[in-house]
Amino acid sequence: MASSPDATASPDSTPEHPESGSATGSPARHGRVRLRRAAVLAVPAIVLAAGLAIMTAQGALGVQLSISGMPFTVTADSLDGTGFEQFGKLDYMADDSPNAGDTGGQVLVATSVVKSATLTKLCQSVDLGGTNLYITAGDGKEKVTATDLTTDSTAMSGNAEFHGIEIGNDASTLDKGGVQGAKGVFSQQADTVHIDKLRQTNYATTAGVFKLPNLHLSFHDTGC
């Protein structure tokens, strides 16, 4: 004679929570626990990724580039900017870069940040060996403009004037340009900056928006 399920089932196997959707309850409960744990673990990663995206868009974080290791020259008749910062850091080339030489793929640079910049008669050139990639812009009525402009330089010259300057800040506390450096690094910042006859040797440039009116690109025997 067939036994009744109620007569043979042990107390442990009797489902106490019908909403589990299973006669035994175990598979559904285990699956739900795993899904809940996975969801909880994913939340910090999602929040972190969203936070980094927002901070980068607002200029709170500098963008880390793998530099080519080829320096380029930038000149301008004048630069006017608001929200100026400057601090030191290391730039890194891609692994096994042919331009690394004996540097280990690292270049010590001075990072200059300008929250909002206007430049006249901008020139940029890269020595390609025997010829130069040559770019000019802003040599007409319209000037070159940039927001959240950063340049990583090994040399910089010109006639500079700063207003509201602070020298000797910890780079992690900077607040005028929207970018912070590493803790313990020497830095300076100013409300405004004006530079005549600007000349830089750069390894990287980034900007939120970079407008280049009257842009010309060509190859020249000489650089800027």
Side-chain angles (χ1 to χ4, degrees), residues 101-124:
D102 59 359
T103 66
Q106 300 177 345
V107 179
L108 179 62
V109 296
T111 295
S112 301
V113 179
V114 184
K115 188 66 178 174
S116 178
T118 301
L119 303 97
T120 58
K121 293 188 177 180
L122 176 70
C123 179
Q124 177 180 300

Side-chain angles (χ1 to χ4, degrees), residues 138-157:
D139 53 2
K141 291 183 179 180
E142 287 190 80
K143 298 181 179 181
V144 172
T145 59
T147 61
D148 299 318
L149 176 67
T150 69
T151 56
D152 290 355
S153 312
T154 54
M156 180 176 178
S157 63

Side-chain angles (χ1 to χ4, degrees), residues 65 72 74 124 149-153 200 202-207 210:
L65 303 174
F72 55 96
V74 173
Q124 177 180 300
L149 176 67
T150 69
T151 56
D152 290 355
S153 312
Q200 295 177 307
N202 293 344
Y203 277 85
T205 297
T206 66
F210 211 169

Side-chain angles (χ1 to χ4, degrees), residues 1 5 9 22 46 66 90 97 115-116 129 134 142 157 174 188 202 204 208 210 212 222:
M1 180 183 292
S22 170
I46 293 169
S66 291
L90 282 173
S97 171
K115 188 66 178 174
S116 178
Y134 195 89
E142 287 190 80
S157 63
L174 296 174
Q188 58 185 2
N202 293 344
F210 211 169
L212 301 166
T222 58

Side-chain angles (χ1 to χ4, degrees), residues 120-139:
T120 58
K121 293 188 177 180
L122 176 70
C123 179
Q124 177 180 300
S125 63
V126 184
D127 187 351
L128 302 177
T131 189
N132 290 265
L133 178 61
Y134 195 89
I135 299 172
T136 60
D139 53 2

